[in-house]
Every structure is written in C-alpha cells, then in structure tokens.
Amino acid sequence: MRLSRYFLPVLKETPADAQIVSHRLMLRAGMIKQASAGIYSWLPLGYKVLRRVEQIVHEEQQRAGHIPVLMPTLQSADLWRESGRYDAYGEELLRIRDRHDRDMLYGPTNEEMITDIFRSYVSSYRDLPLTLYHIQWKFRDERRPRFGVMRGREFLMKDGYNFDLTKEDALHAYNRHLVSYLRTYERMGLQAIPMRADGGPIGGDYTHEFLVLAETGESEVFYDSAVTDLTFGDREIDYDSVDQCQAILEEFTSRYARTDETHDAAIFDRDVPSERQKSARGIEVGQIFYFGTKYSDAMGAAVQGPDGKQVNVHMGSHGIGVSRLVGALIEANHDDKGIIWPEGVTPFHAGIVNLRQGDAATDAACDELYKGLAAKGLEALYDDRDERAGAKFATMDLIGLPWRVTVGPRGLEKGVVELTSRRTGESEEMSVTAAIDRLAQIYGV
Amino acid sequence: MRLSRYFLPVLKETPADAQIVSHRLMLRAGMIKQASAGIYSWLPLGYKVLRRVEQIVHEEQQRAGHIPVLMPTLQSADLWRESGRYDAYGEELLRIRDRHDRDMLYGPTNEEMITDIFRSYVSSYRDLPLTLYHIQWKFRDERRPRFGVMRGREFLMKDGYNFDLTKEDALHAYNRHLVSYLRTYERMGLQAIPMRADGGPIGGDYTHEFLVLAETGESEVFYDSAVTDLTFGDREIDYDSVDQCQAILEEFTSRYARTDETHDAAIFDRDVPSERQKSARGIEVGQIFYFGTKYSDAMGAAVQGPDGKQVNVHMGSHGIGVSRLVGALIEANHDDKGIIWPEGVTPFHAGIVNLRQGDAATDAACDELYKGLAAKGLEALYDDRDERAGAKFATMDLIGLPWRVTVGPRGLEKGVVELTSRRTGESEEMSVTAAIDRLAQIYGV
C-alpha cells in the first residue's frame, strides 16, 4: 500500500482522555476512532491487525478440530428465560424491544443459542464429540467503559462450545482448548499464562484464565516465576490424543499461578520457594470453562447413549477476546516512540521510507523493493509522501511495523538500502535484493 | 473435512414454512437455522459459503483501490439526528436505549458514521479521492421478514462510501464501483444486470441496482435481451482510468434495463425492438448511489480545495448484500435434487463418496484422494460414514458441491474412480491421480 493512497490519520497530540498506553497508541496511530462510549470504529490500520488476530484464532481452532459457525448478534429473550439468565444477568445485558414488542437482547455470550442449535439436530452419542465456535461481535453494557478496546462495550470475541457424552470426554475438550490457546497466543508473539480462575456468571467447576503480564493489567496476579519459562514452541500435537493434551495441561498449570480472585497466600507460601514468588499485573485475554450439564439440564440437550438411555450432554465454553487482544498486544509491545508489532500480527510486513521522493533513482529503488516484496507475498507500507525524513521515521515508529527499509540517494550511490528492526533499532545496509530476501526469510515465505 | 467429524445437519423433510427454493434448500442442506424471525445462525456449511462470498467482495473492492475499515453495529442516535434520519427512517430502524438511557440504534447503513469519520480527520483536497468500505452486520426491523436470508432482519452487507472534491470525481468513483461489482458477481458465477433504479431513502441522482434474474425474484424487471449477452470476462482494468471505467459503464448500462419502479413503457417501446423486449423477475444483490453533498452539507464534511476555499465533499454509497447473495446464488443455481454451487463460491471444492466404508482398498484410495487434493490446496468433503450409497449421493446432490468423486471396490479393480459434475450429471472414469489433476486444473491451482 502506498501511503499517499491510504487512510492513516495519525495524531500528533496524545489524546487527553486515554488512560492507558494501548488506548493512547491506538488513537495516535489512527487504528481506531471512538463512535460512542465503549464503541469503536476500526480504521484501516487497526482493522488489518484485528483481521490478523482473528485469522490466527480461526486457524488454531480449526487445527484443533473445532468447527466454525456464525450466530447472530441479536438473540431472543425467550432462550435466556429458559436458562434463567434473562433476569439474572443484570444491567450489562443490553435488552432490546423490536417493532412487534418482542424482547430481544444483544448477545454477550452464546451458551443458550448454541445449546438450542445442538438440541435441534443432535440426538445420538454417535455425533459426539462436537465443538462449535464462532467469532462474532458481542455487547456488554459496561457501566463505565474505558481503556479503549480493552474494556469496550461492543467487542469481538471467539467463543467455542464443546458437547460431550461424559465428563471425561468434556475434560479432554477442555484440555484441547487449553493447548490450542497456548499455540494461538504464542503465534501472536504473546506469552499468556493460564491461571486458576473463578467461574463467575457462566459458572464452572474447572476454569482457567489466560493472562498476559503487563504493568497496566487490570488484575493482580501471583505466580511461580518458573511458569514464565514455559514455551509451547513448534511441537506437533495430536489433538485427539487424550494423553498428550493432558500432559500439556499439567506442564502449563501444575505450578502456582492465580489471579487475585483465587489467590491463596498460604498455598503460595507452602508450594513456591520464596525466591520464585512473583506478583505482577495481568490482562485477561481468554478463559476456558467446563460447566458440566448446567445448560443441557436447563434446556433439555440430551443424546441417546450407547446403552439407549438419554444423557444430558457435558459442556464447556471457551473464549478469546479478539478485539481486546489488539490492545493487549500493544500493552506488551511498545516503547516511548510507539507500537512494536510482533511479526505474527503486524498490519504490514515492512515499511518503506523514501528519503527523496521525486528523485528518479530513489523512486525506482523503492518501486523495485515494493514490487519485489509483493511478489513474495509480503505487503509493504510505502511512505511515498513528499515529507521530511524525520516525519516519515516518526510515523513508522509510531505505527510499529517490525521492519523498515530506508531508501535514499546516498545509500543508492553505494548500491545499498538500510534495513532497520523496530524492536532493537539496529540497522544493516544491503542491496535491494538482499533486503527482499532477508524479509522473505524472516517471514518464512 | 471428514463428514463423520463434521456438523452437517441435513433435513429429510421440506420445511413447511419456507416459501422459496433458496430458503428451503438452505434449511434442508443444514446451512442455516432460524434463531428468531428474520435472524439466522449460519451452520458450518452455510458459514463457509458466506465467507467465500465475503472474501470475493473484499478482494474486488481492494483491487479497485477501496480501503477496508470496520464500523460498529450500534450507533449513537445523535449522529442520525444530525442528518435528520433518526426521525425520518421509520419503524425499520431498530432503536435501542442503553443502561444510561442514551438513544442508540442498530445501524441499517452507515452514511452518518462514515461522514463523521471523514470530517474528523480529512481537511484537504490532497487526501482525496478516498473510498472506505466495510463488511458488517446490519439490522432492518422488517415488518414481515421472509424468504430466509433473502429478506432477513439481521444481514451482512458490504457498504462503501466515496469522498471526492467534485461531482466529476465522484462520478468516476461511481463508475469504478459499477465495474468492480460486475467483476464481483461474475467471479461468483452470477450474472447481475445493472438497472436504472430509484433513489429511495438514501437519496441519489444517479443510482443503479444490480439484479440477478430468477423466477422467485421480488421485483419485476424489463430489459433489452441484448444486456444478457454482455460479459465482463477477464479483461484487465485500470481503476484509475476515467475513460476505461466510463466506457464499461456505457457498455453495460446504455441498453434498456429497469425495475418496475423506474420502468417507462413508452421509452421501452421506443428504444427496444419488440423481439428484444423482455420482462422477468429479478433479485436485487447490490446498489450504487451518487448523492452529491447531501450528507456533507448536513454534517459539515468539507475540505480545503486547491484555491483555498472550503468545499463540501461529493459522496456516494455503494452496497452489496453479502448474506442475501448466498440465497440469490441458490435461486440461480439449483435443480430438483438440491443446490449446484458455482466453483467460485462452493463450500468444498469436491465431495468424496466412499462406496464401501471399511474396505481396506477403498478406504486407502479415498485417503489418497483426500490428501492429494489437500496438497493442492483443495478442500474435499469426504463422506466416510457407514451409510448406503444412495443416501451419500442424495446428501452430495443436496449440498451441491460442483464435483463428486465416487470411490468403490469395483472401479478400483480397474484402477479407476468416477468424477461426476453436479451441474451436468456427467461422469468420467479415471485414476485417483488423474482425478486430482483434473480438479486442480478446474480450480486453477
């Protein structure tokens, strides 16, 4: 994309009402614009990151064997009356009345609707196990929305639901979700630590939250420092293997890691050597639940078991905050100049800065680079505006593309351009062709 | 995808309340489930088609230089009060009140919101031309929703908005949209004819609707039969070329083609030879508008022109009904056995029918085919259930994959499988390798 034809409304001033760094940087980098309290428009740069995050979530869910559907945003109140949550949910539930005076609501989650889908079609244990998920906009009418997309009212979430014949099978689904979430966050360049959590309004005997450590996190967390050494890496997982998924759950959850809601100082002291006892702040970016037959009992979601008897299915629900992750990624990856995108989610693979727009040789080298990257499937943001170098560098630093190629007449005399890492600030001179090859290597294309 | 692990709840009975064929077939093929009146869940098969349609729309919009954003579903009533539409829009506008008693609405369209984005950031003619679009769920509280996703209340739409300095520039944007829409529909295997239309509540001096001819269409249309001979084909278009876009507009719109709203019998008789005068029914799948400064006047969206004077920008809006297209595609592509997907939008590239599940050689040949197709980037739906051949064929015919490969012990003795076209019903015997190669060739991979 040529910047002269793009829509990247960066702000020079720091917005006064944005309290946390991700909110400030998303506004300054022209990623979002507030539409109403807690409701945002995603401008071109922000939309690209949102889609990259969404795509990784889709890929990892499908790798785990989970099947995508798409449920609507508006739901009938009747379904929620069946589960008892229509009255219980409180003021965060946005209640709506349509032109025929029917009670509707903007879904904050979909346990009822997915259970209704399940009970409408599935009647035999032979169709299990089954996990359906969707990525759809949700609404929670927060009393005091703040922190930008980190705590918005309209937010994009992946929520998945497993249906299993037995508790044992459902716990395998739980473990499978834990494994797939670990992979998902790591692909985005995030370390998200599974922590024992509280069931909250969804309920649940087994539940873990995934937290990204960041100074601005809303939760206080306590953990054994050994958990931050764990990495998933590129191990191959057979998601059908009960033993493999169980082993990974144990590897990642056997050490102490809890939020303030479930923290127990006595157990912390007993189980964790004092030099490994850490407390920090964390941002919740996902949660998994096993809640047994809570919804299948209330809504009559049963299958015929192998013995011919009707069995209410065991369920769980599993969420990743897709729009919130964009904020969390920035909280974990920035410096005083701006955002530093991990390669996995960057909106453009590289930026090209033309130091002398209008100079024939410089323009030609930029074009060669731009087209050469495109031929490798890499998308560059080419700053072809007639602006000072300083302004171009400041914009690139602010929007945080991980790699910048600087092209100017002086370098070209020596046959080189400059490749700069946003994270380290280190630069290296090389030919245009070498820069293309290096970037292709970095992105594995 | 192996069918034994998929969620494809096909129905044996024809649903009684579905009046049109696309609605019946989408329910029978397990593509959608009604959640409330005019609101649908997209089940796995339907969701895949929806995403393919969405992807084609994205690609063609970006090819035309239009930039994706994402605006929220809920909007503040205040914006609509600025344009005067909050009161004017009528009962189809779903009005919502949040917990703080603020008036909100579920957006049926986004002229106000995009104009607000524009005026917040753009102040110079140098940043024009600009076209922003998004694909987002909309809501229109239809009094009597019907025809499944063809006339739902919650629906997915691509809506794009151009901002230009002059009427002349805005008409080029109009033409560019017309060209990109022609390409979009053709890639989906649809012929959509641009017809002179009525401005309706959005207003507009220039507007065309795109209609797909189908017996069940909601509009009566009148046209010169010569328009159905026009095809866009694979011509290369420079979307920046005013002349090229104008020439295509003229080629596709100079012959008589109007809906009943704008039909003029006298002009029809005067301009079209009687043997070419046709009337039929049509389904609207898109509409483009140029409406000048209607919203920029009302909302103060001005830029500084080259002469230093403030100019209210010329705008247009341009919509494609993404969810509705899935229904329209079926209306135009089906027979008495079920759906017949065009290759461009099919949910799976091919179906594999195993005639003797459990027979080692047959299972092995199916596996080889399945993996061979995957290696080419082709996704097969492999019916590996322990079912009779007749039931497997009926399911494949119903869900309408364009190509089916039938694998059985008798053929394998001769070293062949059978490749069958859903559209023609014709079959051909060939080796597994040849079937993979043929499908790769058909899909151009």
Side-chain angles (χ1 to χ4, degrees), chain A residues 133-208:
Chain A
Y133 79 93
H134 74 159
I135 299 181
Q136 177 61 293
W137 292 90
K138 311 280 192 297
F139 200 90
R140 276 188 209 144
D141 202 358
E142 296 264 0
R143 194 174 60 79
R144 211 179 131 229
R146 56 185 185 272
F147 304 152
V149 301
M150 297 277 287
R151 196 159 185 164
R153 295 197 293 167
E154 188 171 328
F155 59 98
L156 188 62
M157 188 167 143
K158 171 259 156 182
D159 41 325
Y161 305 89
N162 67 286
F163 301 91
D164 288 280
L165 186 63
T166 64
K167 177 174 179 180
E168 198 178 10
D169 290 350
L171 289 179
H172 172 55
Y174 183 90
N175 297 352
R176 207 171 57 223
H177 278 89
L178 183 130
V179 175
S180 71
Y181 280 26
L182 291 170
R183 275 191 74 114
T184 301
Y185 298 123
E186 268 200 26
R187 273 190 65 187
M188 295 178 192
L190 273 184
Q191 182 174 44
I193 302 168
M195 299 199 180
R196 186 183 293 200
D198 186 48
I202 293 186
D205 306 325
Y206 294 75
T207 176
H208 281 92

Side-chain angles (χ1 to χ4, degrees), chain A residues 5 33 42 47 58 67 69-70 73-74 98-100 106 116 120-121 141 143 153-154 240, chain B residues 5 33 42 47 51 58 67 69-70 73-74 98-100 106 116 120-121 141 143 153-154 240:
Chain A
R5 305 192 71 159
K33 176 185 189 304
W42 294 76
Y47 175 67
H58 268 304
I67 301 173
V69 297
L70 189 59
T73 61
L74 296 198
D98 74 6
R99 69 188 290 175
H100 297 301
Y106 199 122
D116 182 52
S120 302
Y121 300 112
D141 202 358
R143 194 174 60 79
R153 295 197 293 167
E154 188 171 328
D240 290 334
Chain B
R5 307 193 70 158
K33 178 185 188 303
W42 294 76
Y47 176 67
R51 287 300 296 256
H58 268 304
I67 300 173
V69 297
L70 188 59
T73 61
L74 297 197
D98 75 8
R99 70 188 289 175
H100 297 300
Y106 200 122
D116 181 53
S120 301
Y121 300 112
D141 203 358
R143 195 174 58 79
R153 293 198 293 167
E154 187 169 327
D240 290 335

Side-chain angles (χ1 to χ4, degrees), chain A residues 156-408:
Chain A
L156 188 62
M157 188 167 143
K158 171 259 156 182
D159 41 325
Y161 305 89
N162 67 286
F163 301 91
D164 288 280
L165 186 63
T166 64
K167 177 174 179 180
E168 198 178 10
D169 290 350
L171 289 179
H172 172 55
Y174 183 90
N175 297 352
R176 207 171 57 223
H177 278 89
L178 183 130
V179 175
S180 71
Y181 280 26
L182 291 170
R183 275 191 74 114
T184 301
Y185 298 123
E186 268 200 26
R187 273 190 65 187
M188 295 178 192
L190 273 184
Q191 182 174 44
I193 302 168
M195 299 199 180
R196 186 183 293 200
D198 186 48
I202 293 186
D205 306 325
Y206 294 75
T207 176
H208 281 92
E209 277 181 2
F210 292 78
L211 285 107
V212 173
L213 301 181
E215 282 166 28
T216 47
E218 75 274 57
S219 312
E220 193 171 7
V221 299
F222 302 87
Y223 60 95
D224 179 340
S225 64
V227 300
T228 58
D229 298 334
L230 297 168
T231 54
F232 192 82
D234 56 0
R235 42 184 134 178
E236 278 300 311
I237 297 298
D238 174 3
Y239 281 100
D240 290 334
S241 163
V242 170
D243 290 347
Q244 263 192 42
C245 291
Q246 176 68 28
I248 290 171
L249 174 105
E250 284 167 14
E251 177 184 348
F252 280 84
T253 65
S254 59
R255 295 238 164 72
Y256 192 98
R258 298 194 186 182
T259 65
D260 44 11
E261 284 174 340
T262 54
H263 177 55
D264 183 323
I267 299 177
F268 196 40
D269 280 337
R270 186 194 69 199
D271 292 354
V272 186
S274 59
E275 71 279 10
R276 294 205 327 238
Q277 290 182 11
K278 301 277 176 189
S279 76
R281 302 204 67 84
I283 301 167
E284 192 218 318
V285 291
Q287 188 160 8
I288 55 177
F289 293 97
Y290 161 71
F291 47 67
T293 58
K294 176 175 169 175
Y295 292 91
S296 57
D297 289 347
M299 298 181 65
V303 295
Q304 193 172 50
D307 57 1
K309 288 196 186 129
Q310 291 292 109
V311 182
N312 285 349
V313 290
H314 287 254
M315 295 173 56
S317 67
H318 315 279
I320 291 182
V322 175
S323 48
R324 158 173 271 238
L325 265 171
V326 179
L329 279 159
I330 296 173
E331 292 290 336
N333 297 282
H334 68 272
D335 62 16
D336 55 359
K337 292 184 206 154
I339 302 165
I340 307 170
W341 292 115
E343 273 92 358
V345 295
T346 182
F348 294 94
H349 297 101
I352 300 173
V353 168
N354 184 330
L355 290 179
R356 191 159 315 155
Q357 200 67 40
D359 173 68
T362 312
D363 292 357
C366 288
D367 277 351
E368 185 191 345
L369 192 56
Y370 184 74
K371 287 177 184 152
L373 290 170
K376 300 267 190 191
L378 296 175
E379 199 180 8
L381 181 66
Y382 170 20
D383 192 342
D384 61 343
R385 298 170 306 161
D386 189 15
E387 284 273 359
R388 286 176 307 104
K392 291 187 176 189
F393 289 145
T395 297
M396 285 293 174
D397 285 345
L398 175 61
I399 69 172
L401 309 184
W403 298 94
R404 186 186 78 206
V405 190
T406 309
V407 183

